[in-house]
Amino acid sequence: MSTTGADAVRSVKPTRLDLARGDSRVIVAMGPVRVPTVSSLTADLLRLGWISAGNRLGIIRVPGSRTWHYDPNLLLHAVLDWHTAFPDTVDLTIQEKLALLHSSEPTPLGLRIYIADDYLITDIPHGVFDGVMVVQLWLYLTRYQPDSTPTWAGAPEVTPHIAQSLARHIRSDPRLLIALARATFSRRHAPSTPDAHSRKVDDEKSPTSPEASTWCTRSAQLRSTNLTALRRWRDSNTPGVSVAVLLMTVLTRAMREVGVELAPHVHVVVDGRRYDPAIRNCLGNAAVGLNLPFSEPYSPRLLQDELADALTSGRPLAAMLAISFGQWMSTRRRKARSEATDEPVTAQSATVLSFSHLLGLDDMPDGAWLGGFDAHVFSALTEPADPRGIALLMPMMRDRYDLSASFDTRYHSIDRVDAALRLATEHAVSLLDAKGTESG
């Protein structure tokens, strides 16, 4: 496509799953890296955006509308210098920068990237991207080479047809229909919602100043030696349980250990692309959050079984279909909805832990990391499934996990969350042994 052809600028139709993301954002800082100049990165994003609308870079949200725009020309304003946008913030930590950005800037209608000294901060509208494209973008930025063209830049425009995907999955084994009914409607299961960052906030007002924000993010690393110990414990005690599920268990037990009152379920984001080759290359939204029962004694085996049952039955597709229908209904009722008001803070309210296990970062390249990869920092501010919840982003990057916990400080103290992250990353095996092994 020509970068100057006005005829190429056009309307695009978001899916109902895209619309259900509302104004949710994924804000991430990575560094220290050799950062490009604003002009160089702007030129490259503009070039990539024009290659295909399927890579989503040039898609601009229109809140409250069923018609969005594909206009890569607006990428001319996507890359900003942090200190120009936020002067007098030199002394802020990376986590404080993310909280400031979340509170003082309205949700972006399209991709926005800040160059902050030796760090790259991406502010991504979740309605446009889900985790698959987010990972591709981060990999591209951390190994940035001017004028390079990654494979995903030519991704085709793909519209998921969830009902057809679910029907094909069930036809492959009709017995799955019974399993799906059990997984979806059993009283053992909490209801499913959009993914862990999804909130219907198109009708809500964003804070307009840093002082209005109560959001916070904290970071920690599960380093290679502790990850190796965790794997050894798994092999001896719960073979067949994934490391991701084991880490969810460790984080849950750590939160409980420091006194966080937990809901009897957790919220786990899963990818619906696994079910249908037709949407395998979709860079739009094709993920969903499942609420899975999880309570004392927090057995990793039971959580693994719940997750496996949900995946085998096709429950993620059913949840995506339900969310799409709910979005259709909410659009019809929009005029009848009143503006949301803040709930009173109740310290005794149970907390839902949301888990996002981003795939594809485990082969993180050397790229342009200053001081080598071991010196890297990765921090994210995302939104939990519930306003009182804690969102835990847990991508594996090479031989370690980079953990970020995002939450509202009206409901959770920073010291308590820090203590939980220390427990989970430094004493994971002790936490598991304290409650027993597979039997919990």
Side-chain angles (χ1 to χ4, degrees), residues 370-421:
L370 299 178
F373 181 75
D374 286 345
H376 83 275
V377 172
F378 179 95
S379 184
L381 195 156
T382 59
E383 295 169 1
D386 178 272
R388 300 171 186 271
I390 299 175
L392 291 151
L393 193 68
M394 39 183 281
M396 182 181 176
M397 296 174 67
R398 288 201 192 176
D399 57 353
R400 69 205 70 190
Y401 277 87
D402 281 83
L403 308 177
S404 292
S406 304
F407 55 96
D408 190 326
T409 55
R410 291 177 299 172
Y411 311 122
H412 305 285
S413 77
I414 294 174
D415 288 345
R416 181 170 289 179
V417 173
D418 278 342
L421 290 176

Side-chain angles (χ1 to χ4, degrees), residues 1-12 50 53 69-73 157:
M1 296 181 181
S2 168
T3 58
T4 59
D7 58 334
V9 175
R10 56 185 169 84
S11 297
V12 294
W50 280 111
H69 301 305
Y70 170 62
D71 186 0
N73 289 320
E157 293 184 65

Side-chain angles (χ1 to χ4, degrees), residues 185-205:
F185 299 111
S186 171
R187 289 185 180 180
R188 294 184 306 117
H189 292 88
S192 297
T193 61
D195 77 18
H197 315 302
S198 304
R199 297 175 61 208
K200 294 181 180 178
V201 293
D202 275 339
D203 298 324
E204 296 178 10
K205 303 299 181 183

Side-chain angles (χ1 to χ4, degrees), residues 88-150:
D88 303 321
T89 59
V90 173
D91 295 332
L92 294 184
T93 66
I94 286 298
Q95 289 80 14
E96 289 170 340
K97 282 185 169 72
L98 299 187
L100 172 63
L101 177 58
H102 183 273
S103 66
S104 61
E105 283 287 290
T107 300
L109 303 181
L111 170 68
R112 189 175 293 149
I113 299 175
Y114 294 87
I115 295 177
D117 299 317
D118 295 330
Y119 287 82
L120 290 163
I121 299 176
T122 59
D123 191 357
I124 295 169
H126 208 346
V128 178
F129 301 148
D130 78 359
V132 168
M133 180 54 194
V134 165
V135 166
Q136 296 304 319
L137 182 64
W138 293 339
L139 288 172
Y140 166 74
L141 291 172
T142 53
R143 64 178 126 194
Y144 178 73
Q145 296 177 343
D147 301 320
S148 64
T149 303

Side-chain angles (χ1 to χ4, degrees), residues 12 41 43 68-69 84 100 171 318 324 363 383 388 417 422 428:
V12 294
L41 184 54
W68 293 358
H69 301 305
T84 299
L100 172 63
R171 280 201 302 270
S324 297
D363 61 349
E383 295 169 1
R388 300 171 186 271
V417 173
R422 280 196 304 272

